[in-house]
Amino acid sequence: MQPSTPHPQEPAVADPDPYRSAVALTVNGSARALTVDHRTTLLDLLREQLGLTGAKKGCDHGQCGACTVLVDGRRANSCLLLAVAQDGRHVTTVEGLAAPDGALHPLQRAFLDRDAFQCGYCTPGQLCSAAGVLSEAAAGHPSHATPADAPPAQGAVTLTPDEIRERMSGNLCRCGVYPHIVQAVEDVAR
């Protein structure tokens, strides 16, 4: 038996690339439709395809927090997330924290006021993580610093310096400006 050939009126359809998929994301408020390699991390997509270089590749293992962004409002290490798995999600990077008119986010202003950065490498991840901390606390989510016998939060969790340190512990700063970062987050939490 001979293999069948397409009829002249039926053009042959090329197989789609089995290693790439279409992804639709909202990044910093803008809808984006992209085709990405299945192995591409969200961090690489943001930096290499979208030119958003705020999130940094520090350890590439999710241990330093330099790549922290917000995915659907929650903190995430973008170096650990495959871009194809983020289809339909809303991603906010440090570039998206400021208001559309360019006014700084209150955390950005507080980091400047408190001198909560030195070399600046970790700052974008620290800012996105701090924004996530504020949202988590406002929603009443406890942390490991929350006393075990504390009643369930009936609203926002008070962000004490200990709470802030615990919640920000996944973000490393080689320059050691942690006290200033805690103060900056505390200023905005008040």
Side-chain angles (χ1 to χ4, degrees):
M1 175 172 234
Q2 294 183 348
S4 64
T5 58
H7 297 295
Q9 68 271 22
E10 294 178 18
V13 177
D15 288 334
D17 185 343
Y19 304 109
R20 297 175 65 80
S21 292
V23 176
L25 299 168
T26 301
V27 180
N28 297 332
S30 297
R32 304 291 186 122
L34 306 143
T35 301
V36 298
D37 183 295
H38 295 162
R39 300 165 294 182
T40 302
T41 64
L42 179 59
L43 176 62
D44 289 339
L45 176 126
L46 293 170
R47 292 182 60 81
E48 297 170 12
Q49 293 185 21
L50 299 180
L52 298 170
T53 58
K56 304 293 188 251
K57 187 176 280 198
C59 66
D60 215 18
H61 295 293
Q63 297 173 342
C64 72
C67 67
T68 303
V69 297
L70 301 172
V71 177
D72 292 339
R74 302 213 34 159
R75 308 184 269 171
N77 292 329
S78 61
C79 73
L80 296 179
L81 300 177
L82 291 175
V84 294
Q86 306 316 305
D87 189 38
R89 300 203 183 239
H90 292 261
V91 178
T92 304
T93 67
V94 70
E95 291 93 343
L97 289 180
D101 66 359
L104 294 179
H105 185 280
L107 283 166
Q108 291 170 312
R109 171 58 41 212
F111 269 57
L112 288 170
D113 292 345
R114 288 291 188 167
D115 200 23
F117 56 91
Q118 207 166 69
C119 79
Y121 194 82
C122 72
T123 306
Q126 297 278 2
L127 285 163
C128 285
S129 188
V133 163
L134 294 174
S135 295
E136 292 164 12
H141 296 250
S143 76
H144 287 288
T146 307
D149 60 350
Q154 302 298 323
V157 171
T158 301
L159 286 175
T160 64
D162 283 343
E163 279 281 347
I164 294 167
R165 277 191 288 277
E166 171 59 32
R167 291 170 187 264
M168 293 291 293
S169 65
N171 291 78
L172 304 181
C173 173
R174 293 185 68 179
C175 300
V177 295
Y178 295 114
H180 299 276
I181 292 169
V182 171
Q183 291 167 350
V185 175
E186 193 174 20
D187 287 350
V188 176
R190 288 188 200 154

